[in-house]
Amino acid sequence: MRTTVGIIGAGPAGLLLARLLHRAGIDSVVLESRDRAYVEQRQRAGILEQGTVDVLRAAGAGERMDREGLRHDGIELRYDRTRHRVDFPALTGGRSVTVYAQTEVCKDLIALQIEEGGPLLFEAEALAVEDADSDRPRIRFRHQGRESVLECAYVVGCDGFWGVARRAIPEELTRAFERTYPYAWLGILADVPPSHDELVYARHDRGFALLSMRSPSVSRLYLQVPDGTDAGEWSDDAVWAELERRFETDDDWRLERGPITQKSVTPMRSWVHEPMRHGRLFLAGDAAHIVPPTGAKGLNLAVGDVVTFARALTHLRDTGSDELLDAYSRTCLRRVWQAERFSYDMTTMLHRAPDATPFDDRLQLARLARVASSRAAGTELAEAYTGFPVD
Protein backbone atom coordinates (compact mmCIF):
# COMPACT_ATOMS: atom_id res chain seq x y z
CA MET A 1 0.00 0.00 0.00
CA ARG A 2 1.30 3.47 -0.92
CA THR A 3 0.23 7.00 -0.08
CA THR A 4 1.67 10.48 0.19
CA VAL A 5 1.03 10.94 3.93
CA GLY A 6 0.70 8.07 6.35
CA ILE A 7 -1.17 9.22 9.48
CA ILE A 8 -0.95 7.19 12.68
CA GLY A 9 -3.92 7.80 14.96
CA ALA A 10 -7.56 8.72 14.32
CA GLY A 11 -8.02 11.16 17.13
CA PRO A 12 -9.02 14.72 16.27
CA ALA A 13 -5.48 15.58 15.08
CA GLY A 14 -5.12 12.67 12.66
CA LEU A 15 -8.65 12.96 11.37
CA LEU A 16 -8.44 16.71 10.86
CA LEU A 17 -5.10 16.35 9.08
CA ALA A 18 -6.61 13.81 6.70
CA ARG A 19 -9.46 16.22 6.05
CA LEU A 20 -7.17 19.18 5.40
CA LEU A 21 -5.01 17.13 3.04
CA HIS A 22 -8.06 15.83 1.18
CA ARG A 23 -9.30 19.39 0.67
CA ALA A 24 -5.85 20.30 -0.66
CA GLY A 25 -5.83 17.36 -3.07
CA ILE A 26 -3.14 15.39 -1.22
CA ASP A 27 -3.78 11.71 -0.55
CA SER A 28 -3.37 10.05 2.84
CA VAL A 29 -4.11 6.87 4.77
CA VAL A 30 -5.14 6.91 8.44
CA LEU A 31 -4.27 3.97 10.71
CA GLU A 32 -6.10 3.66 14.04
CA SER A 33 -5.42 0.86 16.51
CA ARG A 34 -8.86 1.05 18.16
CA ASP A 35 -12.28 0.38 16.69
CA ARG A 36 -14.62 3.13 15.52
CA ALA A 37 -16.90 2.90 18.55
CA TYR A 38 -14.00 3.47 20.93
CA VAL A 39 -12.77 6.54 19.05
CA GLU A 40 -16.26 8.04 18.95
CA GLN A 41 -16.85 7.47 22.68
CA ARG A 42 -13.44 8.38 24.13
CA GLN A 43 -14.04 11.27 26.55
CA ARG A 44 -11.41 13.96 26.32
CA ALA A 45 -11.37 17.71 25.74
CA GLY A 46 -14.45 19.84 25.32
CA ILE A 47 -13.27 23.43 24.77
CA LEU A 48 -12.49 24.62 21.23
CA GLU A 49 -10.52 27.82 20.76
CA GLN A 50 -11.68 30.39 18.25
CA GLY A 51 -8.98 29.28 15.82
CA THR A 52 -10.01 25.63 16.08
CA VAL A 53 -13.62 26.54 15.40
CA ASP A 54 -12.55 28.55 12.36
CA VAL A 55 -10.42 25.66 11.03
CA LEU A 56 -13.25 23.13 11.39
CA ARG A 57 -15.64 25.44 9.58
CA ALA A 58 -13.15 26.06 6.76
CA ALA A 59 -12.61 22.29 6.44
CA GLY A 60 -16.34 21.70 6.00
CA ALA A 61 -16.63 20.04 9.40
CA GLY A 62 -18.46 22.75 11.31
CA GLU A 63 -22.14 22.24 10.47
CA ARG A 64 -23.14 20.19 13.54
CA MET A 65 -20.68 22.07 15.76
CA ASP A 66 -22.40 25.35 14.84
CA ARG A 67 -25.79 23.81 15.46
CA GLU A 68 -25.11 21.96 18.72
CA GLY A 69 -21.95 23.55 20.17
CA LEU A 70 -22.24 26.09 22.97
CA ARG A 71 -20.50 29.40 22.33
CA HIS A 72 -18.98 30.84 25.49
CA ASP A 73 -17.98 34.48 25.70
CA GLY A 74 -16.20 34.20 29.03
CA ILE A 75 -15.34 32.23 32.13
CA GLU A 76 -15.94 32.90 35.79
CA LEU A 77 -13.16 32.92 38.38
CA ARG A 78 -14.13 32.19 41.99
CA TYR A 79 -11.91 32.85 44.96
CA ASP A 80 -12.35 33.97 48.56
CA ARG A 81 -16.14 33.48 48.14
CA THR A 82 -16.23 36.11 45.36
CA ARG A 83 -17.03 35.85 41.63
CA HIS A 84 -15.36 37.57 38.68
CA ARG A 85 -16.28 37.15 35.02
CA VAL A 86 -13.61 37.40 32.31
CA ASP A 87 -15.33 38.82 29.21
CA PHE A 88 -13.55 37.33 26.20
CA PRO A 89 -14.99 39.39 23.30
CA ALA A 90 -14.52 42.66 25.16
CA LEU A 91 -10.86 41.88 25.87
CA THR A 92 -9.85 40.16 22.61
CA GLY A 93 -11.66 42.05 19.87
CA GLY A 94 -14.49 39.54 19.58
CA ARG A 95 -12.93 36.09 20.12
CA SER A 96 -14.73 33.38 22.07
CA VAL A 97 -14.56 29.62 22.67
CA THR A 98 -17.03 26.82 21.93
CA VAL A 99 -18.00 23.90 24.14
CA TYR A 100 -18.14 20.90 21.80
CA ALA A 101 -16.80 17.57 22.97
CA GLN A 102 -13.86 15.83 21.30
CA THR A 103 -16.09 12.81 20.78
CA GLU A 104 -18.38 14.91 18.60
CA VAL A 105 -15.47 16.40 16.63
CA CYS A 106 -14.26 12.85 15.92
CA LYS A 107 -17.73 11.68 14.85
CA ASP A 108 -18.02 14.55 12.38
CA LEU A 109 -14.54 14.03 10.91
CA ILE A 110 -14.92 10.24 10.69
CA ALA A 111 -18.19 10.61 8.78
CA LEU A 112 -16.57 13.03 6.34
CA GLN A 113 -13.50 10.85 5.88
CA ILE A 114 -15.56 7.75 5.14
CA GLU A 115 -17.82 9.63 2.74
CA GLU A 116 -15.24 11.76 0.91
CA GLY A 117 -11.67 11.03 2.02
CA GLY A 118 -9.00 8.40 1.68
CA PRO A 119 -8.66 5.10 3.52
CA LEU A 120 -9.38 5.12 7.27
CA LEU A 121 -8.45 1.77 8.78
CA PHE A 122 -9.73 1.00 12.26
CA GLU A 123 -8.16 -1.80 14.35
CA ALA A 124 -4.97 -1.21 12.38
CA GLU A 125 -2.14 -1.25 14.91
CA ALA A 126 1.01 0.61 13.90
CA LEU A 127 3.99 -1.50 14.90
CA ALA A 128 6.90 0.70 13.83
CA VAL A 129 7.96 3.61 11.66
CA GLU A 130 10.97 2.64 9.56
CA ASP A 131 13.44 4.64 7.48
CA ALA A 132 12.12 7.93 8.82
CA ASP A 133 15.25 9.76 7.70
CA SER A 134 14.94 8.55 4.10
CA ASP A 135 12.72 9.78 1.28
CA ARG A 136 10.59 6.63 1.56
CA PRO A 137 9.52 6.12 5.19
CA ARG A 138 7.37 3.08 5.96
CA ILE A 139 4.80 2.18 8.59
CA ARG A 140 4.58 -1.46 9.56
CA PHE A 141 1.10 -2.25 10.86
CA ARG A 142 -1.19 -5.14 11.68
CA HIS A 143 -4.74 -5.19 10.32
CA GLN A 144 -7.26 -8.03 10.25
CA GLY A 145 -4.66 -10.44 11.60
CA ARG A 146 -2.10 -9.70 8.88
CA GLU A 147 1.06 -7.61 9.00
CA SER A 148 1.34 -5.06 6.19
CA VAL A 149 3.48 -2.10 5.16
CA LEU A 150 2.32 1.40 4.25
CA GLU A 151 4.90 3.16 2.07
CA CYS A 152 4.74 6.94 2.36
CA ALA A 153 6.40 10.14 1.31
CA TYR A 154 5.75 11.49 4.83
CA VAL A 155 4.58 10.08 8.15
CA VAL A 156 2.69 12.07 10.78
CA GLY A 157 2.48 10.55 14.24
CA CYS A 158 -0.80 11.58 15.89
CA ASP A 159 -0.70 8.48 18.09
CA GLY A 160 -0.32 10.02 21.54
CA PHE A 161 2.28 9.71 24.25
CA TRP A 162 2.39 5.91 24.15
CA GLY A 163 2.43 5.58 20.35
CA VAL A 164 5.19 4.19 18.15
CA ALA A 165 5.94 7.28 16.07
CA ARG A 166 8.13 9.07 18.59
CA ARG A 167 10.21 5.92 19.16
CA ALA A 168 11.46 6.18 15.58
CA ILE A 169 13.45 9.30 16.47
CA PRO A 170 16.93 8.35 17.76
CA GLU A 171 17.10 9.12 21.47
CA GLU A 172 20.43 10.93 21.15
CA LEU A 173 18.74 13.51 18.89
CA THR A 174 15.94 14.34 21.31
CA ARG A 175 15.33 16.21 24.51
CA ALA A 176 12.28 16.04 26.78
CA PHE A 177 11.09 18.67 29.25
CA GLU A 178 8.69 17.63 31.99
CA ARG A 179 6.95 18.79 35.14
CA THR A 180 4.62 16.58 37.16
CA TYR A 181 2.14 17.96 39.67
CA PRO A 182 1.35 16.50 43.10
CA TYR A 183 -2.38 16.47 42.44
CA ALA A 184 -4.91 15.16 39.92
CA TRP A 185 -8.48 15.83 38.79
CA LEU A 186 -11.41 13.69 39.84
CA GLY A 187 -13.85 14.23 36.98
CA ILE A 188 -17.53 13.35 36.80
CA LEU A 189 -20.23 13.38 34.15
CA ALA A 190 -23.69 14.02 35.59
CA ASP A 191 -27.15 14.03 34.06
CA VAL A 192 -28.05 17.49 35.30
CA PRO A 193 -28.17 20.86 33.52
CA PRO A 194 -25.09 22.99 34.23
CA SER A 195 -25.48 25.23 37.27
CA HIS A 196 -23.91 28.14 35.39
CA ASP A 197 -24.00 29.13 31.72
CA GLU A 198 -20.19 29.46 31.47
CA LEU A 199 -17.23 27.56 32.90
CA VAL A 200 -16.41 28.31 36.54
CA TYR A 201 -12.81 28.00 37.78
CA ALA A 202 -12.73 27.98 41.58
CA ARG A 203 -9.72 28.42 43.84
CA HIS A 204 -10.47 27.20 47.39
CA ASP A 205 -8.37 26.42 50.45
CA ARG A 206 -9.54 22.79 50.10
CA GLY A 207 -8.40 22.66 46.46
CA PHE A 208 -9.43 23.58 42.94
CA ALA A 209 -12.82 22.85 41.34
CA LEU A 210 -14.12 23.32 37.80
CA LEU A 211 -17.70 23.51 36.59
CA SER A 212 -17.99 22.65 32.91
CA MET A 213 -20.55 20.99 30.66
CA ARG A 214 -20.98 18.71 27.67
CA SER A 215 -24.46 19.87 26.66
CA PRO A 216 -27.42 21.84 28.08
CA SER A 217 -28.44 18.70 29.99
CA VAL A 218 -25.08 17.13 30.93
CA SER A 219 -22.61 18.65 33.41
CA ARG A 220 -18.89 17.92 33.56
CA LEU A 221 -17.26 18.78 36.91
CA TYR A 222 -13.81 18.32 38.41
CA LEU A 223 -12.20 18.29 41.85
CA GLN A 224 -8.53 18.60 42.72
CA VAL A 225 -7.51 15.41 44.53
CA PRO A 226 -4.16 13.93 45.60
CA ASP A 227 -2.14 12.27 42.85
CA GLY A 228 -2.86 8.54 42.79
CA THR A 229 -6.46 8.87 43.97
CA ASP A 230 -8.83 6.01 43.11
CA ALA A 231 -12.14 7.38 41.77
CA GLY A 232 -13.93 4.51 43.49
CA GLU A 233 -12.93 5.93 46.86
CA TRP A 234 -15.39 8.79 46.36
CA SER A 235 -19.12 8.19 46.84
CA ASP A 236 -21.54 10.31 44.81
CA ASP A 237 -22.67 12.19 47.90
CA ALA A 238 -19.08 12.94 48.88
CA VAL A 239 -18.32 14.32 45.41
CA TRP A 240 -21.33 16.65 45.43
CA ALA A 241 -20.67 17.80 48.99
CA GLU A 242 -17.06 18.68 48.18
CA LEU A 243 -18.04 20.47 44.98
CA GLU A 244 -20.55 22.56 46.93
CA ARG A 245 -17.88 23.55 49.44
CA ARG A 246 -15.39 24.64 46.80
CA PHE A 247 -17.87 26.61 44.70
CA GLU A 248 -19.39 28.45 47.67
CA THR A 249 -19.94 32.19 47.31
CA ASP A 250 -21.47 34.98 49.37
CA ASP A 251 -24.53 35.30 47.12
CA ASP A 252 -27.42 32.90 46.57
CA TRP A 253 -25.80 30.76 43.80
CA ARG A 254 -26.43 27.05 44.23
CA LEU A 255 -24.96 23.91 42.67
CA GLU A 256 -27.58 21.55 41.22
CA ARG A 257 -27.08 17.84 41.86
CA GLY A 258 -27.96 14.96 39.55
CA PRO A 259 -27.14 11.31 38.79
CA ILE A 260 -23.41 10.74 38.23
CA THR A 261 -22.85 8.54 35.18
CA GLN A 262 -19.05 8.47 35.05
CA LYS A 263 -16.07 9.06 37.34
CA SER A 264 -12.40 9.16 36.37
CA VAL A 265 -9.09 10.53 37.59
CA THR A 266 -6.79 12.57 35.34
CA PRO A 267 -3.12 13.05 36.33
CA MET A 268 -1.56 16.47 35.85
CA ARG A 269 1.66 16.93 33.93
CA SER A 270 3.48 19.21 31.53
CA TRP A 271 5.72 17.57 28.93
CA VAL A 272 7.37 18.64 25.66
CA HIS A 273 9.44 16.57 23.23
CA GLU A 274 11.95 18.36 21.03
CA PRO A 275 12.28 18.24 18.09
CA MET A 276 8.86 17.50 16.60
CA ARG A 277 10.39 16.32 13.31
CA HIS A 278 12.98 13.77 12.24
CA GLY A 279 13.55 13.38 8.52
CA ARG A 280 10.12 12.79 7.02
CA LEU A 281 8.50 11.89 10.32
CA PHE A 282 6.47 14.63 11.99
CA LEU A 283 4.93 14.48 15.48
CA ALA A 284 1.62 16.14 16.34
CA GLY A 285 -0.55 16.45 19.44
CA ASP A 286 0.13 14.32 22.50
CA ALA A 287 2.92 12.49 20.67
CA ALA A 288 4.94 15.70 21.09
CA HIS A 289 3.47 17.62 24.02
CA ILE A 290 1.11 17.34 26.98
CA VAL A 291 -0.38 20.17 29.02
CA PRO A 292 -2.33 20.09 32.28
CA PRO A 293 -6.02 20.48 31.39
CA THR A 294 -6.50 23.71 33.35
CA GLY A 295 -5.82 25.86 30.27
CA ALA A 296 -7.98 23.81 27.84
CA LYS A 297 -5.10 23.61 25.37
CA GLY A 298 -4.49 19.93 24.52
CA LEU A 299 -6.82 19.40 21.55
CA ASN A 300 -6.26 22.95 20.33
CA LEU A 301 -2.48 22.54 20.25
CA ALA A 302 -2.92 19.36 18.20
CA VAL A 303 -5.06 21.28 15.72
CA GLY A 304 -2.34 23.91 15.42
CA ASP A 305 0.23 21.22 14.67
CA VAL A 306 -1.70 19.59 11.83
CA VAL A 307 -2.72 22.92 10.32
CA THR A 308 0.98 23.85 10.26
CA PHE A 309 1.91 20.57 8.58
CA ALA A 310 -0.88 20.69 5.99
CA ARG A 311 0.00 24.28 5.14
CA ALA A 312 3.69 23.41 4.78
CA LEU A 313 3.09 20.39 2.55
CA THR A 314 0.70 22.35 0.35
CA HIS A 315 3.32 25.10 0.07
CA LEU A 316 5.90 22.51 -1.04
CA ARG A 317 3.57 21.14 -3.71
CA ASP A 318 2.65 24.60 -5.00
CA THR A 319 6.07 26.25 -4.90
CA GLY A 320 8.64 23.47 -4.75
CA SER A 321 10.02 25.01 -1.56
CA ASP A 322 10.40 22.89 1.58
CA GLU A 323 11.07 25.98 3.71
CA LEU A 324 7.87 25.61 5.74
CA LEU A 325 8.35 21.87 6.24
CA ASP A 326 11.88 22.47 7.49
CA ALA A 327 10.51 25.05 9.94
CA TYR A 328 7.72 22.75 11.20
CA SER A 329 9.24 21.92 14.58
CA ARG A 330 10.33 25.50 15.34
CA THR A 331 6.98 26.90 14.25
CA CYS A 332 4.93 24.50 16.35
CA LEU A 333 7.15 24.75 19.41
CA ARG A 334 6.72 28.52 19.62
CA ARG A 335 3.01 27.98 20.11
CA VAL A 336 3.49 24.91 22.29
CA TRP A 337 5.67 26.72 24.81
CA GLN A 338 3.26 29.63 25.06
CA ALA A 339 0.48 27.14 25.76
CA GLU A 340 2.66 25.35 28.32
CA ARG A 341 3.34 28.68 30.03
CA PHE A 342 -0.35 29.62 30.15
CA SER A 343 -1.42 26.17 31.36
CA TYR A 344 1.23 26.25 34.09
CA ASP A 345 0.15 29.73 35.17
CA MET A 346 -3.52 28.74 35.35
CA THR A 347 -2.70 25.52 37.19
CA THR A 348 -0.47 27.09 39.83
CA MET A 349 -2.82 30.05 40.31
CA LEU A 350 -5.84 27.87 41.04
CA HIS A 351 -4.57 24.63 42.65
CA ARG A 352 -3.41 24.42 46.24
CA ALA A 353 -0.16 22.47 46.57
CA PRO A 354 0.04 19.91 49.41
CA ASP A 355 2.88 21.88 51.02
CA ALA A 356 1.37 25.33 50.44
CA THR A 357 2.13 27.93 53.09
CA PRO A 358 -0.01 30.93 54.11
CA PHE A 359 2.35 33.05 51.99
CA ASP A 360 1.59 30.86 48.94
CA ASP A 361 -2.14 31.20 49.59
CA ARG A 362 -1.93 34.99 49.71
CA LEU A 363 0.07 35.05 46.46
CA GLN A 364 -2.63 33.02 44.70
CA LEU A 365 -5.33 35.39 45.91
CA ALA A 366 -3.22 38.36 44.80
CA ARG A 367 -2.80 36.86 41.32
CA LEU A 368 -6.54 36.33 41.00
CA ALA A 369 -7.30 39.81 42.31
CA ARG A 370 -4.92 41.22 39.71
CA VAL A 371 -6.83 39.51 36.89
CA ALA A 372 -10.09 40.82 38.33
CA SER A 373 -8.91 44.42 38.73
CA SER A 374 -6.56 44.97 35.78
CA ARG A 375 -7.73 45.11 32.18
CA ALA A 376 -4.20 44.29 31.06
CA ALA A 377 -4.08 41.14 33.22
CA GLY A 378 -7.58 40.14 32.16
CA THR A 379 -6.66 40.63 28.52
CA GLU A 380 -3.60 38.41 28.88
CA LEU A 381 -5.76 35.59 30.26
CA ALA A 382 -8.53 36.08 27.69
CA GLU A 383 -6.14 36.18 24.72
CA ALA A 384 -4.36 33.03 25.85
CA TYR A 385 -7.56 31.15 26.70
CA THR A 386 -9.25 31.90 23.36
CA GLY A 387 -6.14 30.82 21.49
CA PHE A 388 -2.67 31.65 20.25
CA PRO A 389 -2.30 32.31 16.50
CA VAL A 390 -1.20 29.46 14.25
CA ASP A 391 1.92 31.00 12.67
Side-chain angles (χ1 to χ4, degrees), residues 7 9-10 53 56 61 65-66 70 73 99 109 115 131 141 143 147 172 175 182 202 273 346-347 352 355 391:
I7 302 171
V53 170
L56 289 170
M65 173 190 69
D66 286 336
L70 307 174
D73 287 334
V99 176
L109 291 170
E115 181 180 354
D131 300 326
F141 68 99
H143 183 235
E147 191 169 312
E172 64 271 17
R175 189 173 179 189
H273 179 280
M346 287 285 284
T347 299
R352 193 170 193 275
D355 59 351
D391 296 333

Side-chain angles (χ1 to χ4, degrees), residues 179-184 227 268-270 292 340 343-344 347-348:
R179 177 180 291 273
T180 57
Y181 300 86
Y183 35 74
D227 188 33
M268 307 281 284
R269 63 191 298 231
S270 302
E340 292 284 357
S343 299
Y344 173 82
T347 299
T348 57

Side-chain angles (χ1 to χ4, degrees), residues 62-80:
E63 180 181 350
R64 193 163 68 94
M65 173 190 69
D66 286 336
R67 187 172 65 249
E68 300 179 11
L70 307 174
R71 172 179 165 139
H72 281 200
D73 287 334
I75 58 171
E76 183 173 287
L77 300 176
R78 292 193 185 180
Y79 59 99
D80 208 17

Side-chain angles (χ1 to χ4, degrees), residues 30 35-36 50 71 103 106 110 128-129 164 182 197 231 272-273 288 293-294 352 358 363 373 382-383 387:
V30 183
D35 62 23
R36 180 176 179 177
Q50 182 70 65
R71 172 179 165 139
T103 50
C106 287
I110 287 171
V129 177
V164 302
D197 55 1
V272 180
H273 179 280
T294 325
R352 193 170 193 275
L363 281 182
S373 62
E383 287 183 344

